């Protein structure tokens, strides 16, 4: 003989489930149950009138309500997991952007000091090399679908005077920054827009510093360097008419690029351009916060 089901069993089940739910989920369950009970009453009236089917039991209604709640909970948990994954991905990309900016800054300075042999420049360059060793450590290239840029650093470390190799690595780093910009913009980080363009403008200024330092090692600016310096000066002036930039370029033109005899030492050139570069880099960092 089958044991009868206690009349209060559905209520105990309903109450035990309610105890596990949040306020929002309890409200949802209450609304669903009310609608289902109302539907059962209508179904009962229709059934009585038409005598076609028996009314839905309270137990079936509660089970149906629980099924709806479980489906809602499943959707909620899935949605929360996806949100967490998106936030984690966005956080990882944001941290990598800051790391790329640190790499960009250190590589540009390392290039600017690359050809210098005075004690102060060599000491500063060695300190930058150690900093770059740490920054390249555990570069997350493959895990984030980025090129393995770190593999180019050891050879560059051994040849700090290789200006073109520095430029190639910096160009690859700028492409990574632009890729991260697009990826973060798609993740609703709208303030990131313009990052790649700002970094390329910064690289024009940093390249100008590197070329100026090299040119200052001569009595007169060599034609090849002179042409590159003129080109960069004109491009920077086309981008903006900033007063500090105008004063800086006028100084380079009068004391380095155009005169019959250069009146600036390599250390002067490095010191002349570095504050403006650092100021603009700091502006880029602040725009990302």
């Amino acid at each position: 003989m089958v044991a009868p089901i206690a009349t209060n069993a559905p209520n105990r089940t309903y109450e035990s489930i309610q105890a596990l739910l949040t306020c929002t989920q309890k409200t949802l369950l209450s609304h669903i149950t009310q609608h289902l009970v109302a539907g059962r009453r209508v179904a009962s009236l229709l059934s009585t009138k038409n005598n076609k089917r028996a009314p839905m039991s309270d137990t079936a209604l509660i089970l149906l309500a629980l099924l709806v709640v479980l489906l809602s909970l499943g959707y909620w948990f899935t949605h929360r997991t996806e949100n967490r994954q998106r936030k984690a991905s966005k956080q990882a990309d944001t941290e990598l952007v800051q790391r790329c900016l640190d790499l960009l800054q250190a590589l540009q300075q390392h290039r600017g000091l690359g050809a210098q042999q005075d004690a102060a420049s060599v000491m500063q360059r060695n300190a930058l090399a150690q900093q770059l060793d740490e920054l390249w450590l555990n570069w997350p290239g493959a895990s984030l679908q980025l090129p393995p840029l770190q593999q180019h650093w050891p050879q560059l470390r051994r040849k700090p005077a290789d200006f073109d190799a520095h430029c190639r690595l910096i160009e690859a780093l700028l492409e990574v920054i632009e890729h991260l910009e697009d990826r973060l913009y798609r993740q609703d980080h709208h303030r990131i827009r313009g990052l790649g363009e700002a970094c390329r403008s910064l690289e024009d200024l940093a390249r100008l510093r590197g070329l100026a330092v090299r040119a200052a090692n001569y009595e007169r600016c060599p034609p090849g360097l002179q042409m590159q310096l003129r080109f960069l000066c004109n491009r920077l002036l086309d981008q903006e008419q900033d007063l500090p930039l105008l004063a800086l370029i006028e100084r380079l033109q009068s004391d380095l690029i155009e005169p019959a005899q250069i009146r600036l030492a390599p250390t002067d050139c490095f010191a002349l351009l570095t504050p403006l570069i650092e100021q603009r880099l700091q502006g880029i960092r602040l725009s990302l916060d």
Side-chain angles (χ1 to χ4, degrees), residues 5-286:
I5 299 175
T7 56
N8 63 344
N11 290 334
R12 286 202 304 271
T13 303
Y14 182 82
E15 291 170 358
S16 63
I17 291 295
Q18 270 198 328
L20 300 175
L21 303 179
T22 65
C23 292
T24 303
Q25 293 161 356
K26 287 178 182 179
T27 303
L28 175 64
L29 177 59
S30 176
H31 287 320
I32 291 172
T33 304
Q34 289 174 9
H35 286 301
L36 288 173
V37 169
R40 183 192 65 79
R41 288 172 181 167
V42 173
S44 177
L45 290 173
L46 292 174
S47 176
T48 302
K49 182 177 180 180
N50 300 327
N51 197 25
K52 290 184 178 180
R53 63 176 66 180
M56 188 180 296
S57 68
D58 289 340
T59 301
L61 284 169
I62 296 299
L63 291 176
L64 183 57
L66 293 177
L67 177 60
V68 173
V69 170
L70 289 174
L71 290 173
S72 299
L73 286 173
Y75 171 79
W76 179 72
F77 279 118
T78 301
H79 186 66
R80 187 177 69 168
T81 301
E82 290 176 350
N83 278 341
R84 284 181 174 177
Q85 290 174 345
R86 278 196 296 269
K87 287 180 180 179
S89 175
K90 184 177 179 180
Q91 180 65 25
D93 285 347
T94 302
E95 291 175 356
L96 185 55
V97 166
Q98 294 292 349
R99 186 175 178 180
C100 286
L101 292 178
D102 291 339
L103 281 165
L104 183 64
Q105 179 184 28
L107 281 171
Q108 289 172 338
Q109 290 181 346
H110 191 265
R111 176 183 59 190
L113 296 168
Q116 300 311 109
Q117 297 302 321
D118 61 282
S121 296
V122 171
M123 184 180 299
Q124 188 176 356
R125 187 175 67 226
N126 289 339
L128 285 166
Q130 292 177 1
Q131 180 185 349
L132 283 161
D133 288 341
E134 296 177 3
L135 287 170
W136 285 120
L137 191 64
N138 299 323
W139 170 257
S143 62
L144 295 179
Q145 300 178 342
L146 300 174
L149 302 185
Q150 78 283 1
Q151 68 185 15
H152 303 291
W153 166 241
Q155 183 176 1
L156 195 59
R157 196 187 200 283
R158 293 190 296 268
K159 298 180 178 180
D162 193 336
F163 188 89
D164 291 337
H166 276 88
C167 292
R168 287 192 296 271
L169 183 53
I170 290 172
E171 174 60 29
L173 184 61
L174 289 171
E175 291 176 0
V176 167
I177 291 173
E178 289 170 338
H179 175 74
L180 291 172
E181 175 190 346
D182 290 338
R183 200 151 72 183
L184 281 166
Y185 188 80
R186 289 195 298 269
Q187 296 173 16
D188 297 328
H189 190 338
H190 295 154
R191 295 183 66 181
I192 200 78
R193 183 56 75 205
L195 173 65
E197 182 180 355
C199 288
R200 287 196 175 275
S201 179
L202 184 73
E203 166 59 4
D204 283 343
L205 198 55
R207 187 188 287 248
L208 180 66
R209 176 181 60 186
L211 292 173
V213 170
R214 296 172 76 87
N217 285 292
Y218 299 89
E219 291 186 5
R220 183 172 184 174
C221 187
L225 287 173
Q226 190 178 51
M227 182 175 63
Q228 293 181 69
L229 288 165
R230 285 172 176 167
F231 172 79
L232 283 172
C233 287
N234 290 332
R235 185 155 75 175
L236 285 165
L237 291 175
D238 288 340
Q239 294 172 7
E240 58 182 311
Q241 296 292 322
D242 180 66
L243 289 178
L245 178 63
L246 284 171
L248 186 150
I249 289 178
E250 286 178 2
R251 177 78 185 279
L252 289 177
Q253 288 173 337
S254 62
D255 293 350
L256 178 79
I257 302 173
E258 306 299 341
Q261 185 171 359
I262 289 175
R263 294 187 291 271
L264 288 173
T267 54
D268 295 333
C269 293
F270 193 88
L272 181 65
L273 282 96
T274 297
L276 183 57
I277 295 172
E278 298 302 305
Q279 177 186 347
R280 295 195 173 189
L281 179 59
Q282 182 63 18
I284 293 172
R285 293 185 191 278
L286 292 175

